[in-house]
Amino acid sequence: MPVELTTQIRPAGATATSEAARTLRDGGLVAFPTETVYGLGADAANAEAVARLYRAKGRPAFNPLIVHVGDLKAAQRIGCFDATAVALAAAFWPGPLTLVLPKASRCPVARLATASLDTIAIRIPAHPVARDILREFGGAVVAPSANLSGHVSPTTAAHVQSDLSGRIDLIVDGGPVEVGVESAIVGCFASPTLLRPGGIPRDEIERVLGSPLAQLDSGAIEGRPPASGMLASHYAPRARVRLDATSLSRGEALLAFGPAALAGSETATAVRNLSERGDLTEAAANLFGYLRALDASGARTIAVMPVPDHGLGEAINDRLRRAAAPQG
């Protein structure tokens, strides 16, 4: 357990931005909103700060972090961009896409942040609060989701406070996030590879590439995953998650999708509908908040109705499968 801290919460604005940048320079930990989820930031070049971040989250040190920067020039100082990476960055940055690239020869990012891999994961966030903090700080910031490792990702400052109060220095409250699922991660290897589906659908990335993305064989992930969010059990509530539910048992909570009712739903401990009109963008934005709300109902099981697997549905189903995987 990390040393107990007094965690300050500040509304987003110029004062909070200055305090966040100062805290990062001093080796502190700052949670702030991105367009995907709330991130937990530390100075990427400060190995001690990065180690504090791993301890605060309870995150295994073999799980690499995503480095957030303010612009393409900053990204090119820490990663080696080929033509594919340049094209993807031009199309989707700032935005919810992370690129995994070879590390630049003089990359200042602490080796702990990359789990001692020869690659580095980089993105430029689109959220104005995140961009303001990065601009004022002036350097690269590692920023995994601001939650306890393996738990449901945070989409509000209250979620961050629930998981990390007393473990981090500062929470910048910028309100609910917009996208609601983490960034898509593409490995810029010999064949561009989708490492994690996320806030930009696969088909949009493939349209820029002009060819299908390769898929990493899950059996090839041994020991150290090549990117964040790839562990089998992740994004998990305390309750058991039961997928593809077509009926409900007494005492279960229900995570619904679409206008159709589910048999037995009148007995549910609690009900949240990701999108009554079947909109996947709305569903992604609601996913983690609704999982947390249903978990708080006290139900031992959360039954989840089927969600289409196209567009953002691929990212939603990825998170749900990992939430349902055996823990430990």
Side-chain angles (χ1 to χ4, degrees):
M1 172 73 182
V3 175
E4 185 78 11
L5 301 171
T6 300
T7 302
Q8 303 295 326
I9 303 175
R10 301 282 187 260
T15 299
T17 296
S18 296
E19 186 174 352
R22 183 170 61 252
T23 301
L24 290 169
R25 283 193 290 269
D26 290 343
L29 304 181
V30 178
F32 56 86
T34 76
E35 71 276 21
T36 56
V37 299
Y38 271 71
L40 179 60
D43 179 355
N46 183 333
E48 185 176 339
V50 173
R52 281 191 63 203
L53 185 150
Y54 274 100
R55 289 196 300 271
K57 281 179 59 70
R59 184 184 179 98
F62 61 76
N63 196 3
L65 304 171
I66 295 173
V67 181
H68 293 60
V69 294
D71 55 45
L72 184 57
K73 286 185 178 179
Q76 290 172 325
R77 285 194 288 270
I78 61 177
C80 299
F81 282 70
D82 60 10
T84 296
V86 169
L88 291 173
F92 299 115
W93 281 356
L97 176 70
T98 293
L99 300 178
V100 176
L101 308 162
K103 280 196 281 193
S105 59
R106 296 185 179 181
C107 177
V109 172
R111 286 185 62 81
L112 179 60
T114 62
S116 296
L117 296 169
D118 293 328
T119 55
I120 189 165
I122 310 172
R123 92 174 181 100
I124 300 176
H127 198 290
V129 173
R131 291 178 64 77
D132 286 347
I133 291 172
L134 287 166
R135 187 180 303 112
E136 183 137 351
F137 174 63
V141 172
V142 290
S145 55
N147 59 304
L148 292 174
S149 184
H151 193 213
V152 181
S153 296
T155 55
T156 68
H159 295 161
V160 180
Q161 184 178 19
S162 174
D163 272 22
L164 297 180
S165 182
R167 292 170 174 252
I168 65 176
D169 299 282
L170 176 65
I171 301 170
V172 178
D173 186 352
V177 302
E178 181 180 352
V179 177
V181 292
E182 295 85 352
S183 60
I185 302 180
V186 172
C188 294
F189 310 141
S191 297
T193 302
L194 185 65
L195 300 177
R196 178 180 75 182
I200 296 176
R202 175 194 297 264
D203 60 349
E204 293 186 24
I205 300 170
E206 292 177 338
R207 194 174 301 123
V208 171
L209 293 173
S211 61
L213 284 158
Q215 192 76 37
L216 188 69
D217 180 3
S218 59
I221 303 172
E222 296 181 3
R224 293 182 300 178
S228 182
M230 298 184 68
L231 299 181
S233 178
H234 211 53
Y235 315 108
R238 294 172 182 83
R240 184 174 76 92
V241 175
R242 181 169 69 85
L243 302 180
D244 298 322
T246 56
S247 63
L248 200 69
S249 299
R250 184 173 297 276
E252 290 186 318
L254 173 62
L255 186 64
F257 177 82
L262 193 70
S265 60
E266 67 280 357
T267 69
T269 301
V271 178
R272 291 289 190 279
N273 195 318
L274 291 170
S275 175
E276 291 186 4
R277 63 178 188 269
D279 182 281
L280 290 170
T281 299
E282 180 182 24
N286 288 331
L287 175 63
F288 289 137
Y290 284 5
L291 277 175
R292 282 178 176 262
L294 293 176
D295 203 24
S297 73
R300 296 183 65 180
T301 301
I302 299 171
V304 183
M305 288 176 64
V307 176
D309 206 36
H310 59 79
L312 285 176
E314 183 179 12
I316 293 169
N317 283 311
D318 172 82
R319 304 312 189 266
L320 288 170
R321 283 191 294 270
R322 296 179 196 275
Q327 299 180 39

